[in-house]
Amino acid sequence: MRAIPLLSLLLGGWFVVPAHADEAQDWLTRLGQAEQQQSFNGTFVYERNGSFSTHNIWHRVQDGKVRERLLQLDGSAQEVVRVDGHTQCVRGTLIAGLGGSASAGARALDPQKLKNWYELAVIGKSRVAGRAAVIVSLKPRDQHRYGFELHLDKETGLPLKSLLLNDKGQLLERFQFTQLDTADVPSDNDLKPGPDCKAIAISTDKASAQKTAEVWRSDWLPAGFELSSSSTRKDPETKTQVSSLMYDDGLARFSVFLEPLNGATVTDTRTQLGPTVAVSRRLTTPQGEIMVTVVGEIPIGTAERIALSMRNSASTAKQ
């Protein structure tokens, strides 16, 4: 989930009367605990922009580690393997909406924090994949994040279904289990990456990552979003060092990538696929031009404002 690996799969929506906020907090606490304590395997459908894909998932909690493997069953071959939320290998591309960030670790949901940025409510009951569920709504308190409607398994607290809507009520993403087995613990063979799953290399240079966090800052962030991690990596094509900063509000996440242009000619861009946006803007600094790219499941206007607000603390940056 987004606060934890599987919540990266979750989506949202809201269209009911707020009620039972305390009960909603209890269910979100159960959700966070379930993903750190409950092994399972199953099949789910993922929808975005009117297109559907089907996936298998194996999720095992053992010896204090959470290991997870996702495999797309139709369309292009895609696979992701994670340990404690960190992507270990990928086949194809990081499954859109499901892969998350390679360097993003698992986090626990904090309902006390989330209620500052979302209206929490239990809004009804449902039945998904043959299992009874409770529906929890997370409605954003501002225009800088999306809302979630989570259908949580009554027995385990695991998410069985989620919808994500924008502020106009349009569906951005759907995640829904068609089959879930919580009794059969995935085996080593189930979790073993396929031969075409390529390892992801993330820089362990903590000094460089810390320097990135110290040098770069944002003049503006939506309320509730805080810096959660930073990293550096070498782009395999340009050979330049790309720095990244990740921010979250306890549920939603976005990343800011900073890459020196070294004289390259590029144009500003803005794209959106479902809820995922990517906004790139050139930033001129005394050290040279930098391409700032904001990627995440946030409204595109919010991403643009964040991109334009990035500053180099070592000097006064100019647009």
Side-chain angles (χ1 to χ4, degrees):
M1 324 237 155
R2 186 151 276 90
I4 2 189
L6 185 55
L7 191 54
S8 306
L9 314 180
L10 294 189
L11 328 162
W14 65 97
F15 29 83
V16 271
V17 189
H20 308 108
D22 291 342
E23 185 182 358
Q25 291 183 50
D26 292 341
W27 275 104
L28 289 177
T29 298
R30 280 195 66 186
L31 165 61
Q33 293 171 344
E35 296 200 318
Q36 297 300 304
Q37 300 171 3
Q38 177 70 56
S39 297
F40 62 87
N41 66 83
T43 303
F44 65 87
V45 174
Y46 177 68
E47 176 190 1
R48 183 181 65 174
N49 277 19
S51 63
F52 295 80
S53 56
T54 308
H55 307 258
N56 276 349
I57 181 170
W58 296 268
H59 179 102
R60 187 177 72 188
V61 182
Q62 188 177 64
D63 300 327
K65 286 188 174 294
V66 178
R67 187 173 179 88
E68 192 171 69
R69 179 177 174 227
L70 284 80
L71 183 65
Q72 184 163 312
L73 302 179
D74 45 20
S76 61
Q78 297 190 53
E79 179 181 11
V80 177
V81 174
R82 306 191 197 94
V83 176
D84 289 336
H86 294 279
T87 300
Q88 305 297 299
C89 73
V90 171
R91 180 184 182 184
T93 59
L94 276 177
I95 298 174
L98 307 181
S101 168
S103 60
R107 297 169 296 155
L109 284 172
D110 183 353
Q112 287 294 325
K113 179 180 179 181
L114 290 177
K115 71 179 184 180
N116 294 319
W117 322 119
Y118 301 86
E119 294 177 11
L120 310 180
V122 172
I123 61 174
K125 301 177 181 179
S126 68
R127 188 167 178 267
V128 182
R131 303 173 71 100
V134 171
I135 308 172
V136 178
S137 168
L138 295 91
K139 181 178 179 179
R141 296 183 182 275
D142 59 33
Q143 73 275 29
H144 299 304
R145 63 205 90 211
Y146 297 127
F148 290 76
E149 184 185 281
L150 310 179
H151 295 236
L152 305 181
D153 183 29
K154 275 190 173 182
E155 180 183 343
T156 64
L158 291 170
L160 298 175
K161 175 183 177 180
S162 175
L163 306 173
L164 182 70
L165 305 178
N166 63 16
D167 59 349
K168 297 179 181 178
Q170 298 168 322
L171 179 67
L172 298 176
E173 279 188 335
R174 178 197 306 271
F175 156 85
Q176 182 170 336
F177 270 103
T178 57
Q179 181 271 329
L180 178 67
D181 184 350
T182 58
D184 185 19
V185 178
S187 66
D188 288 343
N189 191 56
D190 291 330
L191 294 163
K192 182 180 179 181
D196 296 322
C197 199
K198 297 181 180 179
I200 296 292
I202 298 297
S203 171
T204 56
D205 187 346
K206 294 183 178 180
S208 295
Q210 183 176 354
K211 183 179 180 181
T212 298
E214 292 174 349
V215 170
W216 287 98
R217 62 180 173 79
S218 175
D219 273 354
W220 178 85
L221 290 172
F225 281 91
E226 299 175 348
L227 180 66
S228 58
S229 66
S230 60
S231 64
T232 60
R233 65 176 177 84
K234 181 172 288 188
D235 187 293
E237 294 183 6
T238 64
K239 306 303 181 183
T240 58
Q241 199 79 358
V242 180
S243 302
S244 66
L245 302 168
M246 177 175 285
Y247 298 85
D248 72 74
D249 67 353
L251 182 62
R253 279 174 168 166
F254 66 83
S255 294
V256 180
F257 298 93
L258 306 145
E259 180 176 8
L261 291 177
N262 298 325
T265 302
V266 296
T267 57
D268 294 350
T269 60
R270 63 196 302 269
T271 59
Q272 180 163 2
L273 185 59
T276 306
V277 301
V279 174
S280 295
R281 294 289 182 265
R282 286 172 297 173
L283 184 69
T284 301
T285 76
Q287 289 76 32
E289 284 200 326
I290 301 289
M291 178 59 79
V292 179
T293 303
V294 178
V295 179
E297 293 192 350
I298 54 177
I300 196 164
T302 300
E304 289 182 323
R305 187 172 175 184
I306 293 166
L308 293 171
S309 74
M310 296 305 298
R311 298 289 182 269
N312 186 314
S313 299
S315 57
T316 302
K318 298 180 181 180
Q319 300 295 333

